[in-house]
Amino acid sequence: SRWAELHRYVTMSVLPGRWRNEVTPYMAGIMDASFFQSVQTVIICKPPQWGGTEGVLTCIGYAIDRDPGPVLMVYPDELTGRENNQDRIQTMIKSSPRLKGYLTGTDDDTGMLRINLSHMPLYIAWARSASRLGNKPIRYVVFDEIDKYPDVAGKRETDPISLGEKRTTTYKYNRKVWKFSTPTIETGNVWTALTKEAQVIFDYIVTCPFCGHSQKMEFKNLEWAHETEPGPDGKCHSLPPETIEAEKLAWYKCPQCATLWNDYDRDRAVRAGKWCDRKEGIELHEYLRVKKPLKIGFHSSALISPFVSLPECAAASLRAKLSIEKLKDYYNNYRAEPWKLSVISK
């Protein structure tokens, strides 16, 4: 994370410019943990607009500069891979004076499917192409949006994640694998990896800027404006979600001191936060130092993202009552939890 603030520049963001850890402070912990000696696999279950993609790309930038080795970036489809290569990866390298120095200056330095650096290659692959996933010794593998992957990479091949991981066999003692995605269903790739593969799951614990209480932010603590006059049923109903979102009429209530946070207060609470393991509450770096895990997982909702407002989260929870599609959107894209349809028989 310290390297990022010195040498990383962000272009595909609402906040372009030099990387600042304070914008998405939770990513600093993930980036540092990724290069802890024992860690080989990092699993991130997250909502959209969270900063995960840029954070993992920063890890690749760090690897290019400080700990080089062949890189394989795996995307759900070819178009997404080509676009990310051109818009994100190449831009990351060319915008950083530190990373740009590793380009050789030849015409084929930055192709659409491969980037040739002076000391290492970076390959672009997609989940439906077994040929792009095979026959290369790889040290760093990034699996992007794994819940969008097909079940198999080809008619005669296994799943794309297994194919990609097999490429790291040569580097079995110092490989790094990132798997991240917004979840879909319980049997989806990211939820399965988080709950079955990770030895530990870390939650982000924020600190109330008013009372200092440490807590994991939960949707049950969201509050929003209601009508001032009761309806026919005698209850004061919620304002329409469109009004709540447009006029910013939602807040987060600290369960300890009952202070209502606006987005600015939420961002302060997040900046003062830290990752802790779900079972014992041990802080991330202390846990890594003592337990030395091989595979670790991180899980977070949109509540801690500086790019998603509290009123937007509240509006999504209200819209979830309107249809199954809205409910699915709320669980996947805001709670970062899998969708499960329950049928109750009478």
Side-chain angles (χ1 to χ4, degrees):
S1 60
R2 292 193 296 271
W3 178 93
E5 291 196 318
L6 292 174
H7 304 296
R8 176 75 159 95
Y9 291 81
V10 181
T11 55
M12 294 287 290
S13 171
V14 295
L15 297 172
R18 187 185 289 272
W19 179 280
R20 292 182 294 148
N21 288 323
E22 65 177 13
V23 175
T24 52
Y26 44 84
M27 279 310 308
I30 294 177
M31 292 188 297
D32 291 341
S34 295
F35 287 90
F36 188 80
Q37 186 174 10
S38 70
V39 173
Q40 291 192 5
T41 300
V42 179
I43 301 157
I44 308 171
C45 183
K46 64 173 188 62
Q49 302 180 67
W50 195 75
T53 298
E54 292 294 342
V56 174
L57 280 178
T58 301
C59 290
I60 298 304
Y62 175 87
I64 291 172
D65 187 36
R66 298 296 179 88
D67 202 5
V71 176
L72 179 66
M73 308 285 295
V74 185
Y75 294 94
D77 55 75
E78 182 178 357
L79 178 59
T80 302
R82 289 177 180 273
E83 288 179 341
N84 273 272
N85 181 20
Q86 183 174 356
D87 298 339
R88 291 180 181 272
I89 303 172
Q90 292 188 29
T91 302
M92 175 185 74
I93 294 172
K94 293 177 180 178
S95 64
S96 168
R98 184 79 172 190
L99 298 179
K100 187 177 181 180
Y102 292 106
L103 293 170
T104 65
T106 60
D107 293 338
D108 61 350
D109 266 357
T110 53
M112 293 305 296
L113 300 179
R114 172 173 174 157
I115 298 175
N116 295 314
L117 301 175
S118 60
H119 60 326
M120 57 179 280
L122 193 155
Y123 302 100
I124 306 299
W126 51 95
R128 296 183 184 276
S129 175
S131 61
R132 293 299 305 170
L133 294 169
N135 302 321
K136 305 176 186 71
I138 299 296
R139 183 179 177 189
Y140 299 104
V141 184
V142 175
F143 294 105
D144 190 311
E145 289 298 332
I146 59 177
D147 267 34
K148 296 179 181 178
Y149 287 10
D151 293 334
V152 294
K155 292 181 179 180
R156 299 180 181 179
E157 300 289 349
T158 183
D159 66 279
I161 297 177
S162 295
L163 276 179
E165 287 183 307
K166 287 178 182 177
R167 303 281 67 81
T168 67
T169 301
T170 305
Y171 296 92
K172 62 181 179 179
Y173 296 114
N174 62 349
R175 59 190 168 192
K176 301 289 182 182
V177 177
W178 291 268
K179 303 177 184 180
F180 61 99
S181 182
T182 298
T184 51
I185 57 177
E186 287 185 316
T187 55
N189 288 324
V190 74
W191 196 254
T192 299
L194 184 73
T195 58
K196 305 296 184 182
E197 185 178 344
Q199 297 168 263
V200 57
I201 299 175
F202 292 98
D203 295 312
Y204 198 75
I205 306 302
V206 305
T207 301
C208 176
F210 300 99
C211 70
H213 176 63
S214 296
Q215 58 194 282
K216 175 185 174 182
M217 293 187 71
E218 298 184 16
F219 276 82
K220 66 180 182 180
N221 294 323
L222 276 178
E223 295 196 357
W224 52 83
H226 288 65
E227 299 283 359
T228 56
E229 298 294 332
D233 58 359
K235 298 179 180 179
C236 292
H237 294 277
S238 301
L239 290 175
E242 294 76 17
T243 302
I244 289 173
E245 188 172 1
E247 300 183 16
K248 301 187 181 303
L249 298 175
W251 310 269
Y252 187 86
K253 184 176 181 179
C254 174
Q256 180 70 21
C257 66
T259 303
L260 297 179
W261 304 353
N262 56 26
D263 287 338
Y264 173 74
D265 299 324
R266 183 271 311 271
D267 292 346
R268 291 168 60 202
V270 172
R271 284 196 293 271
K274 59 185 178 181
W275 290 103
C276 295
D277 87 283
R278 182 167 291 180
K279 290 184 178 180
E280 302 178 64
I282 302 174
E283 190 271 334
L284 170 63
H285 295 93
E286 179 65 14
Y287 189 98
L288 297 179
R289 186 183 66 82
V290 175
K291 305 286 188 178
K292 296 179 172 56
L294 190 70
K295 300 182 178 183
I296 61 177
F298 297 89
H299 183 223
S300 171
S301 73
L303 287 174
I304 71 169
S305 172
F307 310 116
V308 182
S309 70
L310 294 174
E312 182 181 345
C313 292
S317 68
L318 287 171
R319 293 189 182 106
K321 302 175 183 179
L322 302 177
S323 68
I324 291 179
E325 289 72 22
K326 296 295 184 183
L327 182 61
K328 188 182 300 184
D329 174 71
Y330 169 62
Y331 268 87
N332 291 166
N333 296 323
Y334 290 90
R335 298 179 68 99
E337 295 176 4
W339 161 254
K340 180 179 181 181
L341 180 61
S342 299
V343 179
I344 302 176
S345 59
K346 295 184 179 180

